Amino acid sequence: MIITTCSPLRFFRLCLFIPLLFGIGSQAHAANNLLLVGDSISAAYGMSLDEGWAELLQQRLEQQGSDWQVVNASISGETSGGAAARMPALLEQYQPQFVIIELGGNDGLRGYPIKQLRQHLRDMIQQSQAIGAEVILLGMEIPPNYGSRYTQMFRDSYSKLAEETDSALVPFFLDGIAIDRELMQDDGIHPTVEAQPLMLDNVWPSLAPLLGVDANNEQ
């Protein structure tokens, strides 16, 4: 079963404190934790958490007899700055061996400076690596109506950061999905339930070898 942190941001500090108070935190440290930090794309927006790609990842790992535990710390509406602020506490609590970062979409849609986006993501990657975790960065793209220069700089941010920090990269998390209207919800931003397995398949070839599981097994 997947671990999910409290979604409402105002309860986040409480969510971190209670497990530590009752000793649950020590159990989390002992597990093979894979921490996922993302926004609504990974928080299963518009559907049950059980239908989201993070839960499907947990199920696939269990089917392969793996003891990896997915900790989904994604929050709808999250920006890179918000996630960067939460990151130290998440790393302290879960001590993950792997960290998946799926962020940037909300920064781009709000027209936030690219330099700011890159710095926040860089900070998160470096903090993860500082505790010995390997990082998988999920690339995102934004609509072209934000201007070709901004759109290109946004897209390039992920490959440049992955190269700079020696992180694994999925070039575009929603590859083959974002341009298919049948796989996107009515808002044109969030993938449907049917798209969730495809999202997992986009991540799996990069993630599976790192976890020591069969990359060809996609059952």
Side-chain angles (χ1 to χ4, degrees), residues 24-204:
I24 300 174
S26 60
Q27 297 177 10
H29 281 253
N32 291 326
N33 287 333
L34 189 163
L35 177 63
L36 168 59
V37 185
D39 51 32
S40 55
I41 302 296
S42 293
Y45 179 89
M47 66 194 75
S48 166
L49 280 172
D50 291 340
E51 298 174 307
W53 82 272
E55 176 61 32
L56 298 182
L57 170 59
Q58 182 67 67
Q59 293 175 12
R60 183 174 294 182
L61 291 170
E62 291 174 357
Q63 289 169 359
Q64 293 206 12
S66 171
D67 61 355
W68 289 106
Q69 179 67 58
V70 179
V71 179
N72 189 0
S74 302
I75 296 178
S76 291
E78 186 67 292
T79 62
S80 63
R86 295 192 293 128
M87 198 66 171
L90 288 170
L91 294 174
E92 174 65 25
Q93 181 178 3
Y94 295 106
Q95 293 293 308
Q97 296 187 44
F98 293 91
V99 175
I100 300 177
I101 298 176
E102 177 273 302
L103 290 163
N106 289 312
D107 295 64
L109 293 176
R110 298 172 188 180
Y112 287 176
I114 297 297
K115 182 178 180 180
Q116 175 179 289
L117 166 65
R118 292 182 183 179
Q119 188 58 56
H120 289 152
L121 294 178
R122 183 183 296 108
D123 288 345
M124 296 177 68
I125 293 171
Q126 292 176 341
Q127 290 170 17
S128 301
Q129 293 174 336
I131 67 164
E134 292 193 55
V135 177
I136 301 93
L137 186 61
L138 306 188
M140 297 298 293
E141 296 186 10
I142 56 174
N145 54 294
Y146 285 80
S148 59
R149 183 174 181 273
Y150 185 88
T151 301
Q152 187 64 49
M153 289 175 63
F154 182 92
R155 179 187 299 116
D156 292 344
S157 294
Y158 297 92
S159 58
K160 289 183 177 180
L161 281 171
E163 182 178 1
E164 174 188 331
T165 61
D166 194 26
S167 302
L169 173 68
V170 175
F172 182 31
F173 182 34
L174 300 183
D175 186 33
I177 298 168
I179 60 174
D180 189 334
R181 292 184 178 180
E182 294 186 359
L183 294 177
M184 299 297 289
Q185 297 182 39
D186 291 341
D187 60 12
I189 297 174
H190 299 94
T192 63
V193 171
E194 291 75 18
Q196 303 302 306
L198 302 178
M199 294 159 64
L200 174 55
D201 289 343
N202 283 346
V203 176
W204 189 250

Side-chain angles (χ1 to χ4, degrees), residues 6-16 75-76 78 86:
C6 292
S7 295
L9 189 57
R10 64 180 179 274
F11 293 131
F12 184 76
R13 293 179 183 271
L14 181 62
C15 291
L16 293 179
I75 296 178
S76 291
E78 186 67 292
R86 295 192 293 128

